[in-house]
Amino acid sequence: MAAGSLSGQAAIVGIGATEFSKNSGRSEMTLAVECVTSALEDAGIHPSEVDGLVTFTLDNNPEIEIFREIGGEELKFFSRIHYVGGAACATVQQAAMAVASGVCEVVVCYRAMNERSEYRFGAGMQDTQAQADFETAHYGWYIPHGLVTPASWVAICAQRYMYETGATTEDFGRVAVAARQFASTNPNAWFYEQPITLDDHQNSRWICGPLRLLDCCQESDGGVALVITSAERAKKLNHKPALIKGAAQGACDDPQMMTHFYRQDITRLSEVGLVAKQLYRQAGLTPDDIQTAVIYDHFTPFVLPQLEEFGFCDKGTAKDFIRDGQITMGGRLPINTHGGQIGEAYIHGMNGIAEAVRQVRGSAVNQVDQVNNVLVSAGTGVPTSGLILGQ
Amino acid sequence: MENNNKELEARMAATIGVEVGPQRSWDPVNLPMICHWCQAMGDDNPMYTNLEYAEQSDQGSIIAPPTMIQALTMKGVTETPAPGSVSRTEEQPYVLDMLDEAGYVSVVAVNCDQEYFSHVKPGDDISHIMTIESISELKHTALGEGYFVTELWTFINQDNEKVAEMRFRLLKFKTPQQAQRPGSAGSQSNKPKAPQRPRPGLNRDNAFFWKGLKQGKLLIQRCTSCQTLRHPPSPMCPSCQSLDKDVVEASGKGVVHSFVNLHHPALPAFDDPNPIALVELEEGTRLVAGLINIEPEDVRIGMPVKAEITQCDDELTLALFSPVTE
């Protein structure tokens, strides 16, 4: 570890979540304060000690309102990360930097939403009004042609990935089958006790060819919060700490919001490669040191290039890695052991970070043997982020 | 969220999977009906009407067009079923009637999927059994609130073999109350507007592109310092950071770099499925564009295409792309 490094200075010491549903029956703010207080209780830290809060620009729950309701006293750091699910691991990076630099003592990262019952996240831009601001105008290159949803933007890259690597829609299906298998044994997963077969995947309806319904994650109501404090203090708390060994953001190679159609090789998730490079360097680890991973699965096709960018297999060979069963229990790298966003819930990657913490603690329902280090990725197709958590 | 329909939903749920029928056909499958159908549909496949051709085929005889299946057992205009049909009893209440009674009186057909298992031939006697396969939770749609109901029709022949299945999906809904506009009749044209494509947001950096299309030109931005072409356009050249720029007119020739066939959401302004490509122009830049004059299943990466500048409505002109046939 380099001097002055972020690695190992902070830890995730508390995780909290609401139930995951399609209709929470209560406000997003209710979900937010529930998951935040539950994470603090898990950590054994009193809410009045929270001095930092981090969330997504996408989140509708202001930091100050949560802070007010939980009985906060002095909020010294509040920060939001942009680029939808790409923000997930970056919230923890912000928290770790705030703790490591001495700005904060206790930072809570959160994401809480009714994205199924109050609005449909997957609906995309179909009702978007023409506006001049940059991000809306950007979608003007796509929406007049009908390319209006996240699934459709991902499908453009997925089609080319299949063409270049020989991966098939069945390989995408294997990712979904593996996720649903893990979800089937996780009582907190929406798809608890509902595994699927590859036939189910292949028979599911087309959303945007080559993507089928079962290639797409859920839309969920729910909230997840994570408590970060110093590694020093972590030793005295309730649980075995999940040390933040690596935390990085990345954007590069002609970055775009969901539409990196103009980079030389659109099958690559170059920003994931940039995150990977930073994570391994910060942590002083290699892919061989990772026992399990949470690989962002809003859409199955992007799981394959992520496995390649993180160095678990060579470019174009993720299909073989997956066909060999390496992402399932007993394989080289079981991924998304909570069921992923396909099987557990789509809380924009935050539920995956909570699962990584459980794997480090040894308390996951689908616990992998002898976990020293867990890699976590965030939303792909967008500027992104990642974490390595470990003992 | 409030849901005051729990009792209704429970009654509806009890109808799922209950088999109703069989509903018989009026006549065995026969050549005159097939010929009428083919003429009405403009289908000249010789397997349907040319006896000699069909006899020499591996089927050995005429077959009925598979899509005819629903017409075979259809009730007449008087709603009378064909003789021998078994009608719905009081123990088999129809979910659509329940929804009518509950005020969800409007209906729109959403989609219909048919799957065929074997060919139907002249002489076959076709019946169908209908079940309700699924009923959605209460949905709030642009038309109003209501329920999606999926009917499963199973078509069987005289030997009780399943020859086809049809899933027919309906939305039963209540329209919003605003519909009454007393006194306005006749004053304004009530002609429904054609569904429109989503609009692009115009700003100072991209307006030239959209203006160019209205003039029939597909434009590419060019850096006047380093001559690099770029799309999407931007104020600064990512290659040399110059703010100086002009445009060149593209030839419109390109190849399909990647593509999708969009099924969902099926927006009214588009075909379903809707083939959309990432086109690499011969000048080297790429852009996303709808494909026209091609069947979705025929799109291939690497396929040469050319721009067809198309006025989609009063306000919107787009560069769509069509395959180059050579």
Side-chain angles (χ1 to χ4, degrees):
Chain A
M1 272 174 251
S5 161
L6 184 61
S7 185
Q9 295 205 43
I12 303 180
V13 294
I15 54 177
T18 65
E19 82 287 1
F20 303 129
S21 74
K22 302 297 177 191
N23 186 352
S24 71
R26 52 206 193 278
S27 70
E28 294 188 320
M29 185 54 77
T30 308
L31 300 176
V33 292
E34 282 181 19
C35 68
V36 167
T37 48
S38 139
L40 287 161
E41 191 182 334
D42 180 59
I45 293 177
H46 194 270
S48 64
E49 285 197 66
V50 172
D51 55 2
L53 284 164
V54 186
T55 188
F56 297 45
T57 49
L58 206 59
D59 199 274
N60 294 322
N61 306 294
E63 304 91 312
I64 51 169
E65 179 61 18
I66 292 171
F67 179 73
R68 203 175 66 78
E69 292 188 30
I70 67 172
E73 291 176 0
E74 293 186 332
L75 187 63
K76 301 167 185 163
F77 179 74
F78 29 96
S79 173
R80 286 186 173 228
I81 320 288
H82 199 39
Y83 305 113
V84 290
C89 296
T91 63
V92 176
Q93 184 198 32
Q94 293 269 312
M97 292 195 295
V99 166
S101 60
V103 169
C104 289
E105 172 79 20
V106 176
V107 182
V108 179
C109 304
Y110 65 93
R111 175 89 180 101
M113 61 191 168
N114 285 328
E115 67 153 355
R116 180 61 181 78
S117 65
E118 287 187 22
Y119 40 94
R120 300 293 300 269
F121 201 74
M125 318 283 291
Q126 51 188 285
D127 298 322
T128 299
Q129 299 298 311
Q131 283 171 12
D133 67 280
F134 183 88
E135 287 191 350
T136 312
H138 165 78
Y139 287 106
W141 303 116
Y142 315 108
I143 60 176
H145 298 280
L147 207 67
V148 297
T149 60
S152 70
W153 303 320
V154 168
I156 288 267
C157 298
Q159 185 84 258
R160 183 82 194 185
Y161 182 90
M162 293 166 67
Y163 174 79
E164 298 215 349
T165 65
T168 65
T169 64
E170 290 197 347
D171 296 317
F172 301 157
R174 289 181 179 98
V175 172
V177 171
R180 292 286 293 268
Q181 183 59 43
F182 281 128
S184 73
T185 53
N186 172 8
N188 293 324
W190 176 257
F191 285 119
Y192 177 51
E193 294 182 330
Q194 295 174 71
I196 58 167
T197 65
L198 195 53
D199 276 348
D200 294 332
H201 171 271
Q202 291 287 301
N203 291 327
S204 69
R205 67 189 165 93
W206 289 114
I207 297 298
C208 184
L211 267 67
R212 291 184 163 88
L213 178 66
L214 291 178
D215 290 308
C216 306
C217 74
Q218 310 174 53
E219 294 165 302
S220 305
D221 285 9
V224 173
L226 311 161
V227 181
I228 289 90
T229 191
S230 66
E232 210 41 50
R233 180 161 181 197
K235 291 177 193 162
K236 302 169 218 150
L237 293 169
N238 286 349
H239 297 283
K240 186 200 284 185
L243 275 183
I244 300 164
K245 295 187 175 180
Q249 281 188 295
C252 58
D253 192 12
D254 204 349
Q256 302 274 338
M257 179 82 154
M258 292 304 304
T259 54
H260 55 264
F261 302 155
Y262 312 100
R263 61 178 51 154
Q264 188 65 34
D265 181 355
I266 68 167
T267 69
R268 278 207 60 187
L269 295 171
S270 312
E271 48 286 311
V272 175
L274 174 59
V275 166
K277 186 169 75 175
Q278 297 176 79
L279 291 180
Y280 292 133
R281 194 184 59 217
Q282 286 177 19
L285 298 173
T286 72
D288 290 342
D289 300 312
I290 308 295
Q291 287 77 40
T292 178
V294 178
I295 302 293
Y296 202 89
D297 58 343
H298 51 355
F299 300 103
T300 60
F302 276 176
V303 169
L304 281 74
Q306 285 186 82
L307 292 169
E308 297 165 7
E309 298 285 354
F310 281 117
F312 297 113
C313 48
D314 293 334
K315 176 160 168 51
T317 66
K319 64 178 194 302
D320 308 306
F321 191 78
I322 289 169
R323 286 174 198 171
D324 292 346
Q326 304 295 4
I327 62 167
T328 57
M329 193 58 91
R332 155 68 189 92
L333 186 80
I335 66 167
N336 302 338
T337 49
H338 55 318
Q341 307 194 90
I342 288 169
E344 187 181 64
Y346 182 41
I347 314 295
H348 294 167
M350 296 298 271
N351 50 322
I353 302 174
E355 173 68 3
V357 171
R358 286 187 291 267
Q359 286 289 351
V360 172
R361 288 180 180 176
S363 64
V365 286
N366 298 307
Q367 182 64 42
V368 175
D369 287 342
Q370 298 186 318
V371 172
N372 292 317
N373 300 296
V374 185
L375 184 142
V376 191
S377 72
T380 46
V382 290
T384 190
S385 56
L387 293 172
I388 293 177
L389 303 180
Q391 308 266 5
Chain B
M1 200 171 283
E2 289 275 329
N3 183 348
N4 300 320
N5 289 346
K6 290 230 169 343
E7 187 271 329
L8 169 68
E9 288 175 4
R11 278 192 294 128
M12 293 198 298
T15 70
I16 292 175
V18 176
E19 293 191 351
V20 178
Q23 187 166 310
R24 306 280 312 267
S25 42
W26 293 88
D27 299 292
V29 177
N30 59 78
L31 189 56
M33 274 173 64
I34 293 174
C35 289
H36 280 302
W37 174 276
C38 290
Q39 291 203 359
M41 294 292 169
D43 192 332
D44 57 4
N45 186 333
M47 280 304 295
Y48 303 151
T49 51
N50 184 329
L51 288 167
E52 270 176 43
Y53 178 92
E55 272 166 20
Q56 284 163 24
S57 72
D58 57 358
Q59 290 297 321
S61 80
I62 292 280
I63 59 172
T67 50
M68 230 182 129
I69 195 82
Q70 189 187 357
L72 295 174
T73 59
M74 210 173 250
K75 288 178 186 171
V77 285
T78 59
E79 287 285 304
T80 318
S85 298
V86 177
S87 296
R88 190 181 285 281
T89 67
E90 278 185 17
E91 281 70 50
Q92 301 167 315
Y94 191 26
V95 62
L96 300 192
D97 295 337
M98 292 179 183
L99 283 163
D100 275 335
E101 286 159 18
Y104 296 91
V105 294
S106 298
V107 66
V108 60
V110 178
N111 61 315
C112 179
D113 289 322
Q114 295 187 347
E115 190 174 355
Y116 315 110
F117 303 103
S118 60
H119 285 301
V120 171
K121 296 179 177 174
D124 282 348
D125 187 5
I126 304 298
S127 313
H128 82 254
I129 305 277
M130 199 269 267
T131 60
I132 299 298
E133 188 175 57
S134 63
I135 302 165
S136 74
E137 60 195 85
L138 185 62
K139 298 284 187 182
H140 301 274
T141 76
L143 293 171
E145 68 169 40
Y147 293 86
F148 289 94
V149 175
T150 306
E151 298 183 351
L152 173 62
W153 297 38
T154 304
F155 294 88
I156 53 177
N157 65 14
Q158 61 281 4
D159 301 321
N160 241 4
E161 288 166 351
K162 181 161 79 170
V163 295
E165 266 181 5
M166 175 173 81
R167 282 182 175 75
F168 186 55
R169 198 152 157 261
L170 302 152
L171 172 65
K172 280 288 279 178
F173 65 101
K174 282 180 190 170
T175 55
Q177 259 31 26
Q178 37 86 326
Q180 289 86 358
R181 288 177 301 146
S184 72
S187 57
Q188 297 262 313
S189 165
N190 285 330
K191 201 175 128 200
K193 281 183 85 173
Q196 291 195 328
R197 291 167 177 251
R199 283 31 316 242
L202 268 56
N203 61 29
R204 296 181 201 198
D205 295 328
N206 67 21
F208 76 91
F209 179 89
W210 299 103
K211 199 170 148 194
L213 287 174
K214 287 199 169 174
Q215 295 165 351
K217 295 174 188 167
L218 175 58
L219 300 177
I220 309 174
Q221 193 170 57
R222 176 173 60 183
C223 172
T224 49
S225 296
C226 73
Q227 308 300 312
T228 305
L229 299 177
R230 61 184 190 256
H231 185 86
S234 56
M236 182 173 278
C237 171
S239 299
C240 77
Q241 284 67 53
S242 169
L243 288 166
D244 299 326
K245 55 198 174 290
D246 64 1
V247 293
V248 294
E249 188 176 346
S251 71
K253 290 184 198 157
V255 295
V256 171
H257 188 74
S258 193
F259 69 95
V260 300
N261 284 318
L262 188 90
H263 293 252
H264 176 86
L267 302 180
F270 298 96
D271 289 342
D272 176 20
N274 172 20
I276 308 162
L278 175 62
V279 174
E280 187 161 298
L281 296 176
E282 66 175 358
E283 291 84 359
T285 57
R286 296 182 193 145
L287 80 167
V288 163
L291 294 174
I292 52 174
N293 303 324
I294 187 163
E295 292 300 319
E297 60 272 22
D298 294 336
V299 184
R300 297 286 178 271
I301 286 175
M303 169 181 277
V305 288
K306 65 176 193 310
E308 306 272 2
I309 303 207
T310 307
Q311 186 175 350
C312 301
D313 56 53
D314 290 348
E315 293 167 7
L316 185 67
T317 302
L318 293 176
L320 305 177
F321 281 73
S322 157
V324 176
T325 44
E326 268 177 296

